[in-house]
Amino acid sequence: MNLRPLFSVVMAAGALFAAAQVPEGPVTLEQCRELALKNNKSLRMQSEKIKAAHYQNDEAFAAYLPGIDFAGGYMYNQRNISVFDSDQLLPVKNFDMSTQSYQFSVVKNPLTGEPMKDASGQYIFDQVALIPKDAMTFDIHNVFFGALTLTQPLYMGGKIVALNKITKYAEDVARLLRDNQAQDVIYQVDAAYWLVVSLNAKHRLAVSYVNLLDTLRSNVNLMLEQGVATRADLLTVDVKLNSAHVDLTKVENGMVLSRMALAQVCGLPVDADLHLVDEDAATMEAGAHPDTTFDISDVYSRRDDLRALETGVKIYGQQEKVARADMLPELALVGTYSFSNPNMFDGFKNRFAGAFSVGAMLKIPLIHWGGNLAKYRLAKTKTAIARLELENARDLINLQVNQAAFKAREAVKTFDMTSTNLAKADENLRQATLGFKEGMMSVDNVMEAQTAWLKANSENIDAGIDIYLCDVYLSKVLGRLDTSAAR
C-alpha cells in the first residue's frame, strides 16, 4: 500500500491548521492577549499541575474509605508431608469391671499371671490399633492460597483530615499561581505589542527625518551651485543624512525583531505576519490617565501571589497536624477472608475452602526518643517561617504598588511635558526652515532644529508608550488584570 498520498494529505492539513492559527487582518491588543493566554506553554503546564493537584486530592479523600486488597499465590512442593515415618501400633484400653475404669490389656504369663515384657523392657499389649503411615501422609505438591482483606481506618490521629485539607489547599495554590502567571503573560504581551507600535511610530519619524535632511541637501546643493553655500555645508548635511539612513535601518531591523518577539509571546510562529491595529495610527497618542487610587487591603485580597502565600501558611498548619498525628494512637478495623487448597478446616482435603476473620488493630507510639516531637516542632517552625514570608511579601507589595502608582503619575506628567516640547520643536523647525530659505539661518541652525525636532518626537512617542505600560503594570500589581481567558 502506497502511503505517500496519505502522508501528503496529512502534511497539508497540518499546514492549513498552523496557518489558521494566525489571525487575518490587523489584530487588537485584546486578541494578542487571548492568543498568548491560549497558546502559552507555561500556562498549559500550570493547568496540568492543577489537574495533578486535583488527582492528589482525590487520592487523599480515598483514605476515608475502606481499602480492599486481594493477595493470592501458588506453590509447588517436591515432597508430601507425613506425620509418621512408619506404620504405628497404639495400645488399646478395655473396661475393667473390678476397677470400674479403662485399663490397658497386656499379655500375661500363663504360669505366673504376671504381665510380660519384650526385649526392650516394655509391656506387651494383647490389643493394639494400627495407624498406617499412608493414612497420615498428606499431598501438598500443589498448594493454592489467597486472602481478601478489608481495612477501614477508624482513627488516625487526624492525619487523614489534615492530608485532605493539604491537597485541597495545594489545588487552590496551583490555580492562584496559574492566574498570577497569566498576569505576567498579559504584561509581556502588552510590552511586546506597544514596542511594535512604538517602533512603527519611530519608523515613520525616521522616514520623515530622512526626508527633511534630503530636502535640506537638495536646497544646499542648489545654494552651492549658486555660490551661496560651501562644500563643507553640503558634506555636513551628507554626513547627517547617512547617519539618518543608518538609524532608519536600525529601526526597520528592530521592527522585524519586535514582531518576532510578539509572535513568540502570542504562541505563533516567529515568522507570522502580524499587523496591529494601533501601528498604523497617524500620530502616537497617550492612553487614558491610569487610575492610581487604591485600597491596600483590597489589593492584598486580589493579589494571587499573596493569596498563594496565605494558602501556603494554611498548608504548613495542616502539616503540623500530620506531624502531631504520629504521636497519637491509630485504630483500624480489619476483616479478612482467607482460603487455600488443600485446606484443613474439616480434615485434610484437596479442595478450596476458606473462612472469615474480623478484628481491630491498634497502634500506640511509645518511645521514639523525641523523634516525633522534633518532627512536630520542625513543622511549627516552618509555619512560623511561612507567616514571616507572608508579612514580608505584604510589605514588598505595598512598596511595589506605591512605586507603580508614582510611576504612572510621573508618566502622565512626562507625556504632557514632551507634548509641550514637541509643539515648541515643531515651531522651532518651522522658523529655522523659513529663516534658512530667507538666508537668515545657517545649515547648522537648520540641522540643530531638525535634531531637536527628532528628539522631541522620539521622547513624545516613548512617553506615550510609557503611559500604556505603566497603566498595565499598575493594573497587574493591583490585581485588576482579567485572566479568565486562561482558565
Side-chain angles (χ1 to χ4, degrees), residues 105-122:
S105 177
V106 296
V107 178
K108 296 181 179 180
N109 191 323
L111 298 176
T112 62
E114 295 292 329
M116 298 182 63
K117 296 182 179 180
D118 57 14
S120 63
Q122 300 293 329

Side-chain angles (χ1 to χ4, degrees), residues 88-324:
Q88 300 295 311
L89 299 176
L90 299 182
V92 178
K93 285 185 176 183
N94 294 319
F95 188 77
D96 189 350
M97 295 295 293
S98 61
T99 61
Q100 294 294 309
S101 63
Y102 285 95
Q103 301 293 331
F104 287 111
S105 177
V106 296
V107 178
K108 296 181 179 180
N109 191 323
L111 298 176
T112 62
E114 295 292 329
M116 298 182 63
K117 296 182 179 180
D118 57 14
S120 63
Q122 300 293 329
Y123 288 106
I124 301 174
F125 299 98
D126 61 354
Q127 292 185 25
V128 294
L130 173 65
I131 302 179
K133 175 184 177 182
D134 293 342
M136 300 302 291
T137 300
F138 305 106
D139 180 11
I140 60 167
H141 283 305
N142 300 292
V143 177
F144 302 88
F145 52 89
L148 187 67
T149 304
L150 181 145
T151 305
Q152 172 63 61
L154 299 179
Y155 178 73
M156 295 287 122
K159 182 183 296 184
I160 296 177
V161 176
L163 288 175
N164 272 269
K165 290 183 178 180
I166 287 174
T167 54
K168 182 62 174 67
Y169 290 149
E171 185 177 355
D172 295 339
V173 168
R175 286 196 178 93
L176 291 170
L177 292 179
R178 189 268 313 277
D179 293 343
N180 185 66
Q181 191 170 1
Q183 293 191 27
D184 293 336
V185 171
I186 290 175
Y187 182 72
Q188 293 174 5
V189 170
D190 283 35
Y193 181 92
W194 292 116
L195 178 60
V196 174
V197 174
S198 172
L199 289 175
N200 271 275
K202 289 187 176 181
H203 179 262
R204 292 193 297 271
L205 178 62
V207 171
S208 299
Y209 183 60
V210 168
N211 292 337
L212 286 175
L213 288 173
D214 193 55
T215 301
L216 179 62
R217 185 186 183 284
S218 298
N219 293 333
V220 172
N221 192 38
L222 291 175
M223 294 173 66
L224 178 63
E225 293 176 355
Q226 296 174 2
V228 179
T230 64
R231 186 70 180 174
D233 292 333
L234 183 60
L235 291 175
T236 301
V237 176
D238 284 339
V239 170
K240 203 71 173 180
L241 182 59
N242 290 335
S243 177
H245 278 292
V246 171
D247 292 339
L248 178 60
T249 301
K250 291 181 180 179
V251 172
E252 290 173 346
N253 293 337
M255 289 172 59
V256 175
L257 296 176
S258 64
R259 289 184 191 277
M260 289 183 179
L262 178 60
Q264 191 275 330
V265 173
C266 292
L268 300 175
V270 293
D271 58 349
D273 189 17
L274 275 180
H275 293 281
L276 312 182
V277 170
D278 296 299
E279 70 177 281
D280 296 327
T283 57
M284 185 67 211
E285 296 181 358
H289 289 191
D291 181 10
T292 58
T293 60
F294 59 88
D295 183 352
I296 195 63
S297 60
D298 292 338
V299 174
Y300 290 157
S301 64
R302 287 194 301 265
R303 284 289 295 259
D304 293 324
D305 50 352
L306 192 62
R307 290 166 60 195
L309 288 175
E310 292 173 348
T311 309
V313 174
K314 296 179 182 178
I315 290 176
Y316 281 112
Q318 294 301 319
Q319 288 179 345
E320 288 183 29
K321 296 181 180 180
V322 173
R324 185 179 60 188

